[in-house]
Amino acid sequence: MSTATATARPGAVLADLLPASRVRDVALVVGGAVLTGLAAQLSVPVPGSPVPVTGQTFAALLVGTTLGARRGFLSLALYAVAGVAGVPWFAQGASGAGMVSFGYVLGMLLASALVGALARRGADRSPLRMAGAMILGEAVVYAVGVPYLALAAHLSASQAVAAGLTPFLIGDALKAALAMGALPTAWKLVDKR
């Protein structure tokens, strides 16, 4: 498939610009999992919270957006399964399902599928729609992660929000801003070729 065909075809995501094959899809899924694992190592502890600030959520949403819903979900599923199996690539080199922050990983699975589906509908082509897709994706991560944190760490709902949501809002706004510039710009560059 030529670049012109991929960009003109409704429902294309950036990964669709590569020649189609099973090898491509496997490589993209594995690459997305590795990218998320590497980004999780960019980790800064948050005082008073068992959840650090990481690049993990941004990578997961980027993977979903660029790969599409199916490949994005599979990539994050591989990331989660490998991490549970012992690969030390969750935040701060952790692994296993026993972490109080594991709910965020589960939320990223769903969020990657959501933003991938939105990208197939053109959300990655304009800054405003991209920002909206990122915000929705981040909301899904928190919708799963914060209640899981409350249960796993025996926190009240307000304590879980204070420890697992509030400290991250500014960083999430910056991640959304970065994505709203990067992905639409990538499509503009592709369309100019």
Side-chain angles (χ1 to χ4, degrees):
M1 170 185 304
S2 73
T3 301
T5 305
T7 57
R9 184 172 50 104
V13 293
L14 284 169
D16 294 334
L17 300 176
L18 300 171
S21 74
R22 289 209 187 274
V23 172
R24 172 202 69 177
D25 288 344
V26 169
L28 290 171
V29 166
V30 171
V34 170
L35 174 68
T36 306
L38 290 173
Q41 303 320 302
L42 302 171
S43 178
V44 177
V46 175
S49 175
V51 181
V53 170
T54 70
Q56 180 180 23
T57 303
F58 180 71
L61 296 176
L62 184 65
V63 165
T65 305
T66 57
L67 300 186
R70 183 180 59 82
R71 289 181 300 228
F73 181 85
L74 290 173
S75 188
L76 270 291
L78 174 61
Y79 170 69
V81 168
V84 168
V87 175
W89 63 1
F90 291 154
Q92 299 174 322
S95 64
M99 310 171 307
V100 296
S101 61
F102 188 68
Y104 295 95
V105 174
L106 298 175
M108 287 178 224
L109 280 161
L110 300 174
S112 67
L114 172 65
V115 297
L118 293 171
R120 288 222 179 266
R121 289 171 178 77
D124 60 343
R125 311 269 176 124
S126 79
L128 189 57
R129 287 186 293 176
M130 188 66 237
M134 290 294 284
I135 290 167
L136 286 172
E138 289 167 352
V140 168
V141 173
Y142 289 120
V144 177
V146 172
Y148 189 102
L149 175 65
L151 291 172
H154 309 291
L155 301 173
S156 69
S158 63
Q159 289 172 320
V161 167
L165 170 65
T166 307
F168 306 98
L169 294 176
I170 292 173
D172 287 342
L174 293 172
K175 293 172 193 175
L178 180 60
M180 71 186 250
L183 291 167
T185 300
W187 274 112
K188 285 180 183 172
L189 292 173
V190 166
D191 287 340
K192 288 181 181 180
R193 291 179 18 173

